[in-house]
Amino acid sequence: MAQLRIALASDHGGFEQKEALKPWLEDLGFTVDDFGCDSEESVDYPDYAKRAARAVAQGDDDYGVLVCGTGIGMMIAANKVHGIRAANLTSTEFAKLSREHNNANIATLSGRFTSLEDNKAILEAFLGADFSGDRHARRVEKIMTIETEE
Ligand code: RB5
């Protein structure tokens, strides 16, 4: 798990958990690039999702972790950036499968409906799993081709 770079971002709904996840990820050996926000003052999640997702798409970061109230807005916004496969994760099983089957490169999390401890377990499952390739590679390739057809 070590030496990888993570683009971390949140809106106000995910700020508290982002602040807690940052040192936790660093203790696990990840380098964390924090794209904000910087307080619980109300902000617009697409602004933060876009910055972090672009860093992942450009290869500056290996994975993204985005936290908002539900994780849903962050997921929708991040998936607008070409090259991004963001999955909103609410269980360790989905976290593992999002890596193995979908080669997800961004995990989006709920800061309001999922506890910090559960989100840590979800991220451990996400960051500890590898893409299975094989038939899943063909399917992910078809997903990415959609971007070139738009
Ligand atoms: C902000 O109130 C809230 O809408 C946002 O954090 C997120 O849940 C959107 O999907």
Side-chain angles (χ1 to χ4, degrees), residues 11-13 45 68-74 112:
D11 72 352
H12 51 288
Y45 58 82
C68 66
T70 58
I72 296 170
M74 285 294 202
R112 288 189 177 140

Side-chain angles (χ1 to χ4, degrees), residues 14-27:
F15 175 73
E16 189 177 337
Q17 288 213 20
K18 174 176 76 69
E19 291 300 293
L21 289 172
K22 185 175 178 182
W24 178 76
L25 286 165
E26 288 171 340
D27 283 348

Side-chain angles (χ1 to χ4, degrees), residues 6 21 29 52-53 56 59-60 68 78 82 84 89-91 95 100 102 105 107 125 129 139 148:
I6 293 183
L21 289 172
V56 175
D60 297 337
C68 66
H82 283 196
I84 293 305
L89 302 176
T90 55
S91 72
E100 291 178 351
N102 314 113
N105 49 15
R139 294 162 186 166
T148 66

Side-chain angles (χ1 to χ4, degrees), residues 63 96-101 103 125-133:
Y63 296 107
K96 186 167 175 278
L97 287 168
S98 76
R99 290 286 307 123
E100 291 178 351
H101 288 196
N103 201 12
F126 180 81
L127 295 166
D130 292 317
F131 183 44
S132 300

